[in-house]
Amino acid sequence: MKIKLSVILAILCLIPVLRPAYGATLDDGTITYSAGSYLGGQPIPIGYDPYGYNYQARRFSGSYFNAYANSANLPPWDGDDVSYLAANPGAVSHWAWNYREVRVDMKWNDAWLSNIDRDDDGKLDRHYGLPSYIGSGAWLTNHEFGTSDEDPWNYFVKIAAAPADATPIGGIWYTASGGEIGTQIWGEFAILQGVYNDKSAGEHGLAEISPEGPGLGKY
């Protein structure tokens, strides 16, 4: 048994470590942040970055403001308003600044934003192989937490790309057979489900749900 095992190990040592045939990975170090962003040109790391994005795991966990700060060429907000604004006075005019204390947890699938680069452009793929998100099967979940009048609130939403044969009418996406998918958002997407709990606003429970069903992966 020891002889057989040693032979197997010797053979394995001769096999080169190959890059996956389907594309470059974050481990390759060739996938970088977009030009114009604060980290522009730097390789995207495996694991969480300073803003709260974990592109390998396809998720985000952090400040609402930090979800947009990098693309706005701003460093991550660290919780200290005085020192942050002293170094970055323009941040106060960013639309997301007022929501910096809102915590956000997001998850998405490969079609929304992949963790690999199949077309060798040095960027993570979006709706790979398609000209737009329509019909891609992309989805995202967004869970927000904050306080209002010292009362905690939270909001959860499921969003999915509209199927290729769907039609938007009056701000609502409909299936080819006329079924209502959900409220149109960001043009190519529909809200499948929304849950809002806020004592100060008198909100509790389901705020919106797709009559066609809220399940992810359906479209």
Side-chain angles (χ1 to χ4, degrees):
M1 184 65 183
K2 290 182 179 179
I3 295 176
K4 291 182 179 179
L5 180 59
S6 63
V7 171
I8 292 173
L9 291 174
I11 293 173
L12 289 176
C13 289
L14 296 175
I15 299 175
V17 178
L18 300 177
R19 192 182 89 170
Y22 51 76
T25 67
L26 294 177
D27 193 47
D28 292 327
T30 58
I31 303 174
T32 61
Y33 290 96
S34 298
S37 65
Y38 190 76
L39 298 178
Q42 297 184 33
I44 296 176
I46 294 177
Y48 283 97
D49 70 7
Y51 294 87
Y53 279 100
N54 185 330
Y55 292 100
Q56 178 65 30
R58 296 195 289 266
R59 68 176 302 167
F60 171 87
S61 182
S63 160
Y64 192 107
F65 173 75
N66 280 345
Y68 298 93
N70 184 41
S71 61
N73 197 23
L74 291 166
W77 174 66
D78 59 4
D80 185 339
D81 288 354
V82 175
S83 61
Y84 187 85
L85 290 179
N88 309 279
V92 73
S93 62
H94 191 283
W95 67 269
W97 175 252
N98 289 337
Y99 308 108
R100 62 194 179 280
E101 294 185 356
V102 173
R103 176 191 161 198
V104 179
D105 287 319
M106 291 188 289
K107 297 179 182 179
W108 57 86
N109 68 349
D110 183 86
W112 186 284
L113 181 61
S114 182
N115 56 15
I116 61 176
D117 170 23
R118 302 175 184 86
D119 54 11
D120 293 322
D121 65 352
K123 298 293 178 284
L124 297 175
D125 294 333
R126 298 176 184 269
H127 52 76
Y128 180 72
L130 295 172
S132 73
Y133 276 110
I134 298 294
S136 68
W139 59 258
L140 168 85
T141 64
N142 186 325
H143 205 169
E144 302 172 7
F145 306 85
T147 57
S148 178
D149 296 329
E150 298 185 355
D151 289 321
W153 62 265
N154 64 82
Y155 175 66
F156 175 76
V157 63
K158 294 180 182 179
I159 298 171
D165 57 356
T167 302
I169 302 175
I172 303 291
W173 277 104
Y174 292 90
T175 65
S177 59
E180 183 179 331
I181 299 173
T183 301
Q184 184 178 19
I185 183 173
W186 305 326
E188 300 174 334
F189 302 91
I191 295 176
L192 302 184
Q193 183 179 20
V195 179
Y196 182 34
N197 296 295
D198 185 346
K199 180 180 178 180
S200 64
E203 299 287 347
H204 179 69
L206 196 64
E208 181 173 358
I209 190 167
S210 168
E212 285 290 298
L216 295 173
K218 182 174 182 177
Y219 305 107

